[in-house]
């Protein structure tokens, strides 16, 4: 990392990369204020925009981003997440250190699932790491940005006392049925209208994916395809996607729109019936 | 700053950071052309995207971004603003140096309010700092990007003669009334539908903010809240926001949509009446 | 370039800049996964977002971005383009090296037009440059990102065998008519509703641009203007734009909406008639 010290030296082992995930959009000045605060404290840090397009106050979607972010960035990266409808109220500002990296943001469920075991977690209390005046409405700039910038060269413990309890969201879980099949649901749509389910590839291997029947609503999908264009246009298909999750798609199309799917739709994987209707 | 020299040396005291604020969006290739031009001239510069989502040709909104950008970035930062409906016509391309930083863009009102006193300002005239061929429609790439890149290592004076007059937009101003209250108006909505007024916190302290009544349209808001969730859901609230401005909001909601507000709506702050209706 | 070696040394002459052009949008985690993969392999690389707002699976629009990207970035820059509806199927992942820079992406037409002569091109085959497990749906992360990161320090030949045939899209071509005029069509609209034609300025000079009549649909535009505001508001105008192409615009307005234009509309340039109707 340019300008960043060796692990354990000036950057506290963080490597000097800070990622930003927010619901601020880019049409307002919030994000650039955060960047300005970070670079004013330490201009040698590298800032990576993850997304600022989380739907306003959608803690659940933010937690989906946080769940998978850790393993793709270098060890020691500092991941800042500001989706924070409770800003200024009782919710705690926190730092979580896992075996791999650091997370900074509100303790409201955005850190429900992380890349690995939590090693340390603190409530941000020490005012000397914050901006001189902390506003009631914008902790992204006044708390999380300066803390992230300083975390690159300050041990986690110095920011405040140990966190008592990390808030976790209730998440629908897939389950294995008695008949050997798997039941799950749609949890996310991406930009292409692909429907992610909460069924992981590990659950499917046992169920015999290539020969499986995937059913949802009035659709039956026969087998898990190796890639999108393996099924004819206009036909629903299923793949194991880049997250390792079962995904329902329409090749060169938009499954969300074409098949009228929505979040929460039940998805069932089982043995293909003889005569699907 | 990585690669950037000491103040006064190779980077002319600028620190090597260039910020970009435009109305180009990101779906067209304009922004990347500007970045390419800047990095081709000096690859050690750091480019920070502020926003490219200013509504097309909205000089007023751009000026709002410029008014507050200076104090959040390191001293010497070069702020480029290209919202430029008059490109190619008589409007002057300018560089403004304040006590804190540099601004590069068209002299059309986008620099109406800046962070601090103007020290120097010039009209960009010297062709040796521009691209070899200057188009009629895209000074962002052909004038402002190369000038910003070269400004990192060239004194302001070399770019052209002194600017005669900095164009400033007419701005609504809040006023203190005879009864001790304050009258202002809504000047901006952010992504969350929060309504910014032009009433600064300094004006409110005198008016007794916590006990004040804020009235607009048929709404009466009682007191300025310490944070968003201090008022019940569905109720309008008022806070001092991250800009130090009085802001009307709906907790966990969207004030713009829920209360039918619009830019220019008059906002009045006074003593709470006995029986508000 | 910070952290990047001298041409020919650790960065294989690439300069250490990687640009990203995709149709992933920023509301999903795809782009940040690509960035994470790149920085994990080589944290000294600089990543420049070109755009992630290519309409989903619009290979044609992506090719428009690729056609002009090369000349604006420093020599040796690595341009990654992931607009890839055929991911996982037979289409080849490729690296193209031109006299000026490098291109990484699918061989599906996105590289139809490049900045200069192709020096080398290979099909990416060698698995040691990819992520450990290659998914069927996300080669942006599993193939193109790691290949781009490693291309900064590895000769092109090592990635795989020579490419047989670079796929090129059929493109409408402007033509000179017997009467000396030029016929072309609208190929692109930008964010402002400006209509780009496929008629290059070189073709117009011969045709006498300033005195020319540009006709399309029921519109007649008299002469090519030096800049946008040279024609009255509400009137269609024509300029040579920042791409060197003839462009139809509405000053301070939106030509696309106001004049009901669409891609493919025929545009004709000729001598102005005596009495235009």
């Amino acid at each position: 990392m340019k300008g960043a010290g060796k692990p354990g030296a000036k950057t506290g082992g963080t490597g000097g990369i800070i990622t930003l995930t927010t619901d601020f959009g880019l049409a307002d000045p919030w994000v650039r204020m955060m960047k300005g605060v970070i670079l004013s404290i330490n201009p040698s840090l590298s800032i990576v925009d993850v997304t600022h397009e989380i739907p306003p106050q959608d803690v659940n979607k933010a937690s989906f981003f946080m769940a998978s972010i850790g393993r793709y960035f270098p060890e020691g990266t500092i991941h800042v997440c500001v989706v924070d409808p409770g800003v200024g109220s009782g919710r705690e500002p926190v730092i979580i250190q896992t075996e791999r990296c650091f997370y900074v943001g509100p303790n409201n469920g955005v850190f429900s699932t992380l890349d690995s075991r939590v090693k340390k977690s603190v409530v941000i209390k020490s005012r000397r790491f914050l901006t001189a005046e902390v506003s009631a409405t914008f902790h992204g700039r006044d708390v999380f940005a300066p803390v992230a910038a300083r975390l690159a060269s300050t041990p986690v413990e110095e920011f405040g006392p140990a966190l008592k309890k990390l808030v976790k969201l209730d998440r629908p879980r897939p389950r294995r049925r008695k008949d050997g099949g798997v039941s799950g649901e749609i949890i996310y749509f991406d930009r292409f209208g692909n429907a992610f389910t909460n069924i992981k590839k590990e659950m499917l291997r046992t169920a015999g994916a290539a020969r499986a029947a995937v059913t949802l609503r009035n659709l039956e999908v026969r087998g898990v395809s190796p890639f999108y264009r393996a099924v004819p246009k206009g036909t629903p298909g299923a793949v194991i996607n880049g997250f390792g999750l079962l995904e329902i798609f329409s090749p060169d199309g938009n499954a969300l729109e074409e098949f009228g799917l929505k979040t929460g739709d039940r998805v069932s994987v089982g043995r293909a019936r003889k005569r699907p209707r």
Side-chain angles (χ1 to χ4, degrees), chain A:
Chain A
M1 205 61 244
K2 50 259 177 185
K6 295 204 178 65
K10 284 277 171 73
T11 58
T14 64
I17 301 177
I18 292 179
T19 78
L20 302 180
T21 302
T22 78
D23 61 353
F24 294 151
L26 288 170
D28 293 316
W30 315 126
V31 172
R32 64 114 167 112
M33 285 184 175
M34 290 182 64
K35 290 182 181 179
V37 166
I38 290 168
L39 292 175
S40 292
I41 290 170
N42 187 346
S44 73
L45 295 169
S46 280
I47 301 172
V48 178
D49 291 307
V50 169
T51 185
H52 303 291
E53 303 301 330
I54 302 281
Q57 309 175 343
D58 190 338
V59 169
N60 188 53
K61 189 142 191 178
S63 76
F64 187 81
F65 273 70
M66 287 300 107
S68 59
I69 198 171
R71 68 185 142 138
Y72 289 109
F73 278 86
E75 286 194 33
T77 296
I78 297 169
H79 301 290
V80 178
C81 179
V82 192
V83 176
D84 192 12
V87 60
S89 68
R91 71 92 189 90
E92 300 155 314
V94 294
I95 305 173
I96 318 287
Q97 180 180 4
T98 64
E99 290 174 338
R100 189 169 167 82
C101 51
F102 300 85
Y103 299 87
V104 178
N107 187 21
N108 62 4
V110 293
F111 302 130
S112 291
T113 308
L114 298 175
D115 65 277
S116 57
R117 204 175 55 84
V118 173
K119 282 172 66 180
K120 293 174 190 169
S121 57
V122 305
V123 181
I124 300 165
K125 279 272 171 71
S126 178
R127 288 194 59 92
R128 74 190 153 104
F129 299 110
L130 315 184
T131 51
E133 193 174 351
V134 175
S135 70
T137 60
F138 191 14
H139 286 190
R141 178 192 63 194
D142 300 338
V143 176
F144 301 123
V147 162
R150 281 163 179 137
L151 185 57
S153 55
T154 311
V156 171
E157 301 78 21
E158 296 194 18
F159 289 86
L163 173 65
K164 295 251 169 61
K165 189 170 169 26
L166 184 60
V167 171
K168 301 201 178 191
L169 301 175
D170 267 343
R171 279 262 172 61
R173 285 179 179 245
R175 63 184 182 80
R176 180 168 305 287
R177 296 189 310 264
K178 282 188 186 155
D179 68 2
V182 179
S183 291
E185 63 184 72
I186 294 176
I187 55 170
Y188 185 96
F189 290 96
D190 73 10
R191 181 188 204 210
F192 302 92
N194 297 320
F196 295 17
T197 74
N198 59 353
I199 301 173
K200 293 184 184 165
K201 72 177 165 193
E202 291 77 12
M203 301 191 75
L204 282 177
R205 271 172 188 159
T206 350
R211 298 182 324 271
V214 181
T215 50
L216 73 166
R217 300 205 154 205
N218 51 355
L219 300 174
E220 173 147 338
V221 180
R222 309 213 85 194
V224 175
S225 303
F227 53 88
Y228 290 130
R229 285 187 171 168
V231 308
K233 223 167 160 158
T235 315
V239 285
I240 302 299
N241 73 11
F243 278 100
L245 297 173
L246 183 72
E247 174 186 308
I248 310 300
F249 67 92
S250 171
D252 290 302
N254 186 308
L256 169 62
E257 292 171 8
E258 290 168 34
F259 309 134
L261 307 178
K262 62 183 205 319
T263 303
D265 278 356
R266 307 295 305 172
V267 176
S268 172
V269 184
R271 220 168 298 169
R273 277 176 289 172
K274 287 276 159 61
R275 278 197 277 151
R277 279 183 297 179

